[in-house]
Amino acid sequence: MAIGSCVALLAWGADTRLVLLLVGPPGAGKGTQAEALTKNHGLPAVSTGELLRAEVKAATALGQRIQTMMANGELVPDDVVNGLVARRLAQPDAAKGIILDGYPRTVAQARYLDQLLTQRGYPPVTVLHLDVPDEEVVQRLAARGRADDKPEVIRERLKVYTRETAPILEHYRGGDLNRIDGTGSPEEVARRVDRVVRAKLSR
Ligand code: AMP
């Protein structure tokens, strides 16, 4: 473990819990940054997209219900993802906190999460908004090649982000909302993210 990470963990008081939200358009690097944060700070990272893809792959009743929505770049219903997150948050490894990647994605989800965290004694969220211009996002996604990374689906996912998800930034204004320049290499972005998170841990 890097010395910096040890220091961060030592600085972490016994009752310091951290809920980090990675918010940004598809292709902003949320998954990559979530992974780096897990490595550096030991918090579990949860991607609702991954949880949902696992349901589709396992062809569960839920998976069959949401497959077409996901393939078309639409959001799955709030109650579905809210339920998945509530269950995941109850697992022991989330006691110290959690990194949420791709959730909340609607204002209704953000409100649900606020309530859930309060009920379970977590502090208010720290939002890490990865800001990347649309042109760069389109280029990155075209290079990634996931099933929902086809040009027409990318366009739909970007529209959905602007319409449904960007408003959650307004919801968190007045809270702990941190805009982070998401352009550049993953390592550069990780350094910017880490600076913000370390500042929280040393408060
Ligand atoms: P992602 O891996 O985060 O890009 O998510 C892939 C797809 O999963 C999205 O395009 C949505 O169809 C679905 N999805 C992931 N997270 C959510 C969420 N919080 N709310 C609704 N749908 C979601």
Side-chain angles (χ1 to χ4, degrees), residues 30 47-50 52-53 69-70 73-76 81 101-105 109 144 146 148 157:
K30 301 186 294 292
S47 149
T48 43
E50 288 293 331
L52 295 167
R53 276 189 289 279
M69 300 173 200
M70 291 182 70
E74 296 157 18
L75 295 183
V76 310
V81 276
D101 154 10
Y103 177 91
R105 252 177 160 103
Q109 290 177 20
R144 191 164 76 172
R146 212 168 71 186
D148 55 354
R157 286 164 63 212

Side-chain angles (χ1 to χ4, degrees), residues 87-101:
R87 223 178 312 145
R88 184 62 185 82
L89 198 66
Q91 289 176 20
D93 65 341
K96 275 247 170 221
I98 200 162
I99 302 161
L100 292 171
D101 154 10

Side-chain angles (χ1 to χ4, degrees), residues 143-177:
R144 191 164 76 172
R146 212 168 71 186
D148 55 354
D149 287 341
K150 293 191 238 62
E152 65 278 18
V153 183
I154 291 174
R155 271 194 299 277
E156 177 60 21
R157 286 164 63 212
L158 276 171
K159 258 196 257 166
V160 168
Y161 177 78
T162 306
R163 192 179 63 225
E164 306 283 343
T165 307
I168 73 171
L169 297 171
E170 202 48 55
H171 172 83
Y172 289 119
R173 204 159 314 275
D176 190 7
L177 173 61

